[in-house]
């Protein structure tokens, strides 16, 4: 029996594999990657490496074995038909008879276009007959803390989220929840709504940035159309900018507030506070 992680060299996947290495022998872990070179550090530590691509169905033939536990980390190629990509993995898992397939989804309350592929994948998974766990990950701290340069340059947090709040957490937190499901028992056919312990507003985020940097940083709430213009002006493709602006609209409606407590319960510890994530980013 292996624990198999797809997208294992991505931002979330790396955290999952690192945390798995703390809990199970390396030879029980299989990292599924598109580029073996990016996984060389895992291979050196004894992790099995499997080459496969969501766009190449045949690459998943025979990759899984009966009894495996699989983490399907959602793809990030928004223009390639993600539901179809994910279904390739689900079909291969079903054919192999895996014990569990956990999928990194989006909060059940999220109605933004970003959630459409996740809902489609959930439907494919829950109707497949494969024992599943839906890990409905909320927003990541890193979505903000990894992009601080323009915020600090202009002394402004810009969002189209009004006074909406976000229950974000760190990638390491979401990875800890996934590892708990992959290494634990009794998670079959369960849905977990995952988010940070404390929801925050963008005004509070700006205030915390001000406190930690000593600069006066304000929150500029803009209309959705204006945000799309700002993002495309910064070089983002318009379809992706529209997706991000749509998430902000959902935040304004309260759709990224998660109050289940599932994340800290699964991780066995409190979720990382936003202030801590900001401090780490500023040191970096």
């Amino acid at each position: 029996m292996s624990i198999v992680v797809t997208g294992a060299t991505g931002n979330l996947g790396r955290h999952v594999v690192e945390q798995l290495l703390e809990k199970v022998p390396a030879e029980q872990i299989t990292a599924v990657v598109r580029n073996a070179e990016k996984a060389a550090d895992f291979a050196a530590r004894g992790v099995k490496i499997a080459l496969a691509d969501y766009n190449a169905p045949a690459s998943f033939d025979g990759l899984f074995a009966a009894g495996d536990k699989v983490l399907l980390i959602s793809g990030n190629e928004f223009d390639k038909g993600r539901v179809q990509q994910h279904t390739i993995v689900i079909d291969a898992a079903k054919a192999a008879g895996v014990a569990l397939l956990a999928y990194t989804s989006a909060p059940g309350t999220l109605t933004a276009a970003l959630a459409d592929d996740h809902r489609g994948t959930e439907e494919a998974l829950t109707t497949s007959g494969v024992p599943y766990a839906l890990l409905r990950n909320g927003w990541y701290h890193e979505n903000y803390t990894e992009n601080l340069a323009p915020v600090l340059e202009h002394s402004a947090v810009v969002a189209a989220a009004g006074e909406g709040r976000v229950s974000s957490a760190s990638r390491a937190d979401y990875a800890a929840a996934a590892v708990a499901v992959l290494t634990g028992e009794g998670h079959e056919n369960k849905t977990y709504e995952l988010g940070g312990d404390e929801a925050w507003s963008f005004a509070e985020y700006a205030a915390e940035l001000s406190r930690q940097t000593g600069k006066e940083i304000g929150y500029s709430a803009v209309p959705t159309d204006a945000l799309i213009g700002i993002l495309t002006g910064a070089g983002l493709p318009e379809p992706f900018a529209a997706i991000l602006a749509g998430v902000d609209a959902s935040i304004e409606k309260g759709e990224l507030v998660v109050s289940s407590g599932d994340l800290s319960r699964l991780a066995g510890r409190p979720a990382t506070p936003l202030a801590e994530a900001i401090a780490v980013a500023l040191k970096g």
Side-chain angles (χ1 to χ4, degrees):
M1 190 277 284
S2 282
I3 295 175
V4 187
V5 180
T6 73
T9 53
N11 289 325
L12 179 62
R14 279 202 162 273
H15 280 288
V16 172
V17 175
E18 288 289 353
Q19 292 186 38
L20 280 172
L21 283 165
E22 296 171 10
K23 296 224 170 169
V24 299
E27 59 268 19
Q28 286 182 20
I29 306 168
T30 299
V32 181
V33 299
R34 287 189 292 191
N35 182 336
E37 288 177 20
K38 289 186 179 176
D41 56 326
F42 288 150
R45 291 156 74 182
V47 174
K48 293 182 201 161
I49 307 300
L51 287 176
D53 189 319
Y54 293 153
N55 298 305
S59 66
F60 282 92
D61 290 349
L63 197 154
F64 306 125
D68 282 354
K69 290 184 176 180
V70 179
L71 177 63
L72 169 54
I73 293 180
S74 56
N76 59 6
E77 296 175 310
F78 295 93
D79 57 339
K80 295 264 181 85
R82 291 197 298 169
V83 177
Q84 185 179 341
Q85 290 180 329
H86 298 156
T87 302
I88 289 164
V89 182
I90 294 166
D91 290 346
K94 181 175 183 175
V98 305
L100 182 73
L101 193 155
Y103 171 65
T104 61
S105 191
T109 48
L110 186 65
T111 62
L114 179 74
D116 293 348
D117 289 347
H118 291 302
R119 297 290 95 86
T121 301
E122 286 186 4
E123 185 176 356
L125 178 52
T126 55
T127 59
S128 69
V130 175
Y132 66 84
L134 300 181
L135 305 176
R136 288 178 166 171
N137 288 356
W139 223 218
Y140 298 166
H141 290 330
E142 288 88 349
N143 291 342
Y144 303 105
T145 59
E146 286 185 351
N147 298 293
L148 286 179
V151 174
L152 299 178
E153 181 185 344
H154 299 290
S155 295
V157 170
V158 179
E163 296 177 11
R165 304 180 78 81
V166 185
S167 303
S168 64
S170 71
R171 288 194 189 108
D173 294 336
Y174 292 110
V179 167
V181 167
L182 294 168
T183 59
E185 299 297 331
H187 299 289
E188 293 82 4
N189 304 331
K190 297 280 180 68
T191 298
Y192 297 105
E193 297 286 349
L194 304 174
D197 300 328
E198 298 284 339
W200 50 268
S201 69
F202 285 89
E204 290 166 349
Y205 173 50
E208 182 60 29
L209 282 168
S210 299
R211 190 184 70 78
Q212 292 200 31
T213 61
K215 294 176 70 173
E216 191 58 47
I217 295 172
Y219 168 42
S220 177
V222 299
T224 305
D225 293 352
L227 183 63
I228 292 173
I230 290 166
L231 293 173
T232 53
L236 282 187
E238 187 163 346
F240 188 52
I243 285 172
L244 293 179
V247 171
D248 273 15
S250 285
I251 290 171
E252 185 168 23
K253 290 186 276 186
E255 294 177 4
L256 276 178
V257 173
V258 179
S259 55
S260 65
D262 286 351
L263 180 60
S264 52
R265 198 159 41 242
L266 282 172
R269 57 170 175 75
T272 306
L274 178 65
E276 189 177 312
I278 290 171
V280 169
L282 290 172
K283 275 182 199 157

